[in-house]
Amino acid sequence: MATEATRPTAVPETAANPNYGQGEEMQNEKTDRVVKSDKIELQDADAWDKLGYSFPTWRKWQILGVVFLIQISMNMNASMYANTVSFITEEYGVSKQVARIPQMTFLVAYAFGCELWAPWSEEFGRWPIQQLSLFLINIWQIPCALASNYHTYVICRFLGGLSTAGGSVTLGVLADMWEPDEQEYAVAFLVLSSVGGSVVGAIVGGFVEANLSLQWNFWIQLIVGGFVQVVHLLFNPETRSTILLDREAKRRRKTGEDPNIYGPNEIRETRITLKEFWTIFSRPFYMFVTEPIVLWLSLLSGFSDALIFTFLQSFQPVYEQWGFGTIGVSLAFVPILIGYFLAYFSYLPSIHHFRGKRRKFGGDSVKPEVRLWWLLFLAPLETIGLFGFAWTSLGPDYGIPWIAPMIFSCLVGIANYAIYQSSIDYQTAAYGPYAASATGGNDLARDFLAGIAALYSGPMYENIPGRPLEYASTILACLAVLVTIPIYIVYWKGPEIRRRSKFAQSLDKNREASKEKRRKSSLAGMQDGDRTHRERV
């Protein structure tokens, strides 16, 4: 998530190194500034006021608001398809399990699509990549809406998922405007759109299923996607630092202010190479396997997200016991959405408290692990909510009101938001320049496991002997106990685990180099100002 304009120089040339395969002609050892002939690289410290970090606060939040809409749209695409299963089963004569395959292909492709798009957004900018991604997503909705055979859904949903530049790019936009120690409020807001979009899709999908034809499920997705693309086209600027530095360097040369200054991309003869692309693309997978913190938190986050897609299948048989129809079942997702908002607002006091401590006593006075503090109290709600949902699913025959399982599903929503928010926020603080790769593993696990859940959740709630509704959710509750244990391990042992991480070690060196570079740049600016003043006098 963090920008890579200031790069660490002490990392081995492996997949862990963001500069792996760069092959630059000449580099100043002290400043990490590229110099080629008479061309000098413009760095972030030289034009800090032109970067996203210096945008006015209102502008940052306006940009983030549009990104919020993008996330809602993308996650609606992932969840609305569940409301087409009965139509596809009837129209094409396939089983419900087969009809769910396009949902699985979309989510699995989405998991890898996020990582495929991320390197290109770093190279060519966030704005064109997001526009291209939104355009392709919208294009693939059209064949689905006009489909005359089942295989069209499988293929086009797969391509739609692969075209989705999700969290890795949208979180990159956030990182372009806020430094890691200032990101919490923005991360909390953006996470709300990531988890909320799936529920919004389930609610909207119910109304579409009840009142419109199969084709309209995809037309609605296209209408929402087209609207979001136009809003992004008109209101969001470029935020990627290297692109903004290129533009500023061109302006300085054109005005004669500094004819020898060139942007980071201009001074390099080659754009991203295949080797560099593979390095950036593979780094999330590398960290997922080699970094225990990334692995544990990603699996936890992925399991929690899979619950929501499991609920897409369980809600119908559960609430049909109280006579809920298609629209009633879709509205049963509202308590989960309420849980998301409750969790979001509950995080604000914690963010305010620890941000105040950092500002008062310095950033090093507050360890990254404090970003998991509130999660310690909210994570158990997942287990409690699942157990409660399981045994209030007995239905009206046992005198249980319909609102009881909704209350427990609200608790699951609170925990699901908290897990994603805290894991993203913590990985941002713990891994700095590598946070994009760390959170990329998180997104990969969430979307991939959600895709697998689309296949197993239906049979799971139908085929377990005895009480399938109750036993299925009880199994999930027992698994929730196991997957939430690492939260407490990371909270107490996180500093020790990070000390053994080469990513965290290189981060410490990078932070010191970045602070020193900015300090020297500020001093140079003051000296130039004094010199100019003396000359005028």
Side-chain angles (χ1 to χ4, degrees):
M1 289 171 57
T3 57
E4 294 179 10
T6 309
R7 299 181 299 271
T9 57
V11 189
E13 192 167 347
T14 67
N17 185 355
N19 293 319
Y20 177 51
Q22 285 286 77
E24 294 160 358
E25 285 78 2
M26 182 176 175
Q27 193 164 319
N28 187 299
E29 294 180 357
K30 293 183 179 180
T31 65
D32 197 31
R33 185 190 303 276
V34 177
V35 179
K36 181 183 177 184
S37 300
D38 59 344
K39 297 179 180 180
I40 302 173
E41 180 189 16
L42 181 69
Q43 294 191 313
D44 58 348
D46 305 321
W48 190 256
D49 61 320
K50 305 298 182 182
L51 304 184
Y53 302 110
S54 298
F55 286 176
T57 300
W58 70 266
R59 182 60 160 156
K60 291 182 180 182
W61 281 97
Q62 176 266 302
I63 294 169
L64 199 65
V66 175
V67 174
F68 187 99
L69 294 178
I70 292 174
Q71 285 292 102
I72 292 287
S73 174
M74 289 179 176
N75 286 283
M76 277 184 65
N77 294 338
S79 61
M80 272 189 71
Y81 177 86
N83 294 97
T84 69
V85 170
S86 59
F87 286 120
I88 291 177
T89 298
E90 181 179 348
E91 186 163 340
Y92 299 104
V94 298
S95 67
K96 286 185 177 180
Q97 195 69 353
V98 172
R100 294 186 185 108
I101 290 177
Q103 184 177 15
M104 182 271 291
T105 58
F106 180 92
L107 287 165
V108 171
Y110 187 175
F112 291 94
C114 290
E115 309 312 322
L116 284 170
W117 286 97
W120 302 114
S121 77
E122 294 176 359
E123 180 69 13
F124 297 103
R126 315 293 188 191
W127 191 90
I129 291 301
Q130 285 192 307
Q131 273 293 305
L132 180 59
S133 170
L134 289 167
F135 174 76
L136 291 175
I137 293 168
N138 292 332
I139 286 295
W140 296 123
Q141 302 289 7
I142 298 174
C144 290
L146 302 176
S148 59
N149 59 74
Y150 163 76
H151 299 92
T152 299
Y153 299 113
V154 178
I155 296 170
C156 292
R157 290 287 293 177
F158 174 82
L159 293 173
L162 204 61
S163 300
T164 304
S168 294
V169 177
T170 54
L171 288 171
V173 174
L174 183 154
D176 292 338
M177 299 186 291
W178 282 277
E179 294 189 87
D181 284 346
E182 302 294 329
Q183 287 179 1
E184 298 103 318
Y185 286 116
V187 169
F189 181 71
L190 201 55
V191 166
L192 184 61
S193 67
S194 296
V195 296
S198 299
V199 177
V200 171
I203 295 171
V204 173
F207 283 88
V208 174
E209 181 181 359
N211 298 295
L212 299 170
S213 64
L214 166 63
Q215 290 74 20
W216 273 101
N217 187 287
F218 301 103
W219 289 129
I220 294 295
Q221 292 180 52
L222 176 59
I223 291 169
V224 174
F227 170 77
V228 169
Q229 182 175 0
V230 171
V231 171
H232 178 264
L233 175 71
L234 296 177
F235 295 104
N236 270 24
E238 180 58 64
T239 60
R240 174 66 177 163
S241 61
T242 53
I243 303 299
L244 297 180
L245 289 172
D246 286 346
R247 293 176 181 176
E248 174 61 12
K250 290 176 183 177
R251 186 196 67 81
R252 292 186 184 186
R253 293 199 306 273
K254 184 176 181 180
T255 60
E257 182 179 340
D258 194 337
N260 295 325
I261 202 74
Y262 287 80
N265 293 318
E266 293 181 301
I267 205 166
R268 294 170 175 84
E269 290 185 352
T270 58
R271 306 288 287 192
I272 190 169
T273 65
L274 183 61
K275 187 177 182 180
E276 292 164 359
F277 174 83
W278 174 250
T279 300
I280 299 172
F281 172 70
S282 63
R283 196 181 302 128
F285 304 96
Y286 182 84
M287 292 186 71
F288 186 83
V289 174
T290 61
E291 292 289 311
I293 290 175
V294 175
L295 176 63
W296 291 345
L297 294 182
S298 296
L299 290 178
L300 168 65
S301 187
F303 170 78
S304 185
D305 197 50
L307 290 178
I308 301 303
F309 286 88
T310 303
F311 275 5
L312 285 172
Q313 308 303 326
S314 68
F315 272 33
Q316 184 173 353
V318 167
Y319 289 105
E320 279 180 347
Q321 299 176 102
W322 285 278
F324 283 37
T326 301
I327 293 178
V329 171
S330 70
L331 291 175
F333 285 90
V334 170
I336 296 179
L337 194 60
I338 292 173
Y340 289 156
F341 277 98
L342 290 175
Y344 167 72
F345 286 114
S346 77
Y347 264 88
L348 301 184
S350 172
I351 292 172
H352 178 75
H353 172 71
F354 289 114
R355 175 178 282 196
K357 287 189 67 175
R358 282 199 305 273
R359 288 178 173 177
K360 185 175 181 180
F361 301 107
D364 296 335
S365 64
V366 180
K367 296 179 181 178
E369 284 69 29
V370 301
R371 304 196 187 205
L372 299 174
W373 175 77
W374 188 228
L375 180 59
L376 302 178
F377 302 96
L378 297 186
L381 294 181
E382 185 151 89
T383 300
I384 295 170
L386 285 169
F387 272 122
F389 182 86
W391 295 101
T392 54
S393 297
L394 288 166
D397 294 342
Y398 290 82
I400 299 174
W402 54 266
I403 200 171
M406 291 189 181
I407 292 173
F408 286 107
S409 67
C410 180
L411 298 183
V412 174
I414 292 173
N416 185 46
Y417 174 91
I419 288 168
Y420 193 29
Q421 150 65 18
S422 289
S423 60
I424 290 290
D425 197 23
Y426 172 68
Q427 288 171 332
T428 300
Y431 289 99
Y434 307 108
S437 297
T439 56
N442 198 308
D443 290 332
L444 175 70
R446 288 177 68 85
D447 296 323
F448 185 83
L449 291 177
I452 300 301
L455 290 185
Y456 72 70
S457 55
M460 184 176 178
Y461 277 90
E462 295 169 1
N463 299 327
I464 297 178
R467 298 182 182 276
L469 297 180
E470 292 75 21
Y471 292 160
S473 293
T474 300
I475 291 172
L476 295 177
C478 293
L479 290 173
V481 175
L482 296 177
V483 299
T484 52
I485 291 175
I487 294 172
Y488 303 90
I489 297 175
V490 172
Y491 182 77
W492 295 111
K493 299 293 184 181
E496 182 180 338
I497 297 172
R498 286 189 292 109
R499 275 196 296 271
R500 296 197 296 265
S501 166
K502 62 183 173 183
F503 288 95
Q505 291 171 3
S506 64
L507 170 60
D508 292 337
K509 297 176 182 178
N510 181 65
R511 280 174 173 164
E512 292 302 318
S514 179
K515 288 179 182 178
E516 179 64 16
K517 185 190 296 183
R518 202 173 303 165
R519 184 187 68 82
K520 290 180 178 179
S521 178
S522 299
L523 289 174
M526 293 172 62
Q527 291 171 357
D528 289 342
D530 291 342
R531 188 181 304 112
T532 302
H533 176 72
R534 288 194 300 270
E535 289 173 354
R536 288 176 178 175
V537 173

